[in-house]
Amino acid sequence: MSDEQYMREALKQARYAFAEEEIPIGAVVVLDRQIIARAYNQTEKLRDVTAHAEMLALTAAANHVGNKYLSDCTLYVTVEPCVMCAGATAWAQLRRVVYGADEPKFGYRRHGNLLHPKAEVVTGVLGAECGEIMQEFFARKRK
């Protein structure tokens, strides 16, 4: 599968979040071209400010591989990770982080590079689609 195909899987997760009135961010973790974890934001459902899609996906991936280090894995996430999630990817030693839409307000890049120093970062994959679902969500919230 390509980066775009994996991002489409993350977008499916974002749509689940949208349907549950969660901020529509989805994530998948890939190892050896296989999706080993899928997650979406569940901060409202779980009443947990740390229940971001990335955090839930990293936990599921670590459980899948039986190790806290995910150095051979790639995280696909629909929106630029926040500081907390970027830090978690650094601690997990992810090889790659691929995201769709930029997050100028809360994205990690406002604070410098918080990812693992060896991590490859790919931005803008299906960025328009990833941004549109966020815009639609917040437009509905404002009504």
Side-chain angles (χ1 to χ4, degrees):
M1 289 176 74
S2 67
D3 284 347
E4 291 81 14
Q5 290 169 308
Y6 291 122
M7 189 61 74
R8 290 207 185 284
E9 293 298 316
L11 271 165
K12 285 181 187 176
Q13 296 298 307
R15 288 185 194 99
Y16 294 141
F18 189 99
E20 294 181 17
E21 297 188 23
E22 298 276 359
I23 294 175
I25 298 175
V28 298
V29 178
V30 174
L31 173 64
D32 296 330
R33 294 180 283 189
Q34 297 279 352
I35 295 174
I36 62 168
R38 301 168 192 268
Y40 57 91
N41 273 7
Q42 296 184 47
T43 60
E44 300 299 328
K45 178 181 182 178
L46 299 177
R47 295 182 179 92
D48 180 355
V49 296
T50 69
H52 291 195
E54 302 96 317
M55 301 295 282
L56 297 172
L58 292 176
T59 298
N63 287 332
H64 178 85
V65 299
N67 193 333
K68 65 183 178 181
Y69 298 115
L70 302 171
S71 54
D72 293 326
C73 294
T74 299
L75 171 70
Y76 291 85
V77 60
T78 56
V79 176
E80 176 183 346
C82 70
V83 170
M84 173 183 68
C85 294
T89 68
W91 284 109
Q93 300 180 4
L94 281 170
R95 180 175 59 85
R96 291 179 78 224
V97 175
V98 179
Y99 66 85
D102 289 336
E103 177 35 281
K105 219 175 189 179
F106 296 107
Y108 79 92
R109 291 186 308 160
R110 289 187 61 206
H111 305 281
N113 185 19
L114 303 175
L115 304 178
H116 192 276
K118 293 181 181 178
E120 174 189 351
V121 180
V122 179
T123 67
V125 176
L126 301 181
E129 287 180 57
C130 293
E132 285 169 10
I133 192 171
M134 293 286 284
Q135 289 172 352
E136 182 181 347
F137 177 81
F138 286 108
R140 286 184 182 194
K141 285 288 184 193
R142 287 191 281 282
K143 286 185 179 181

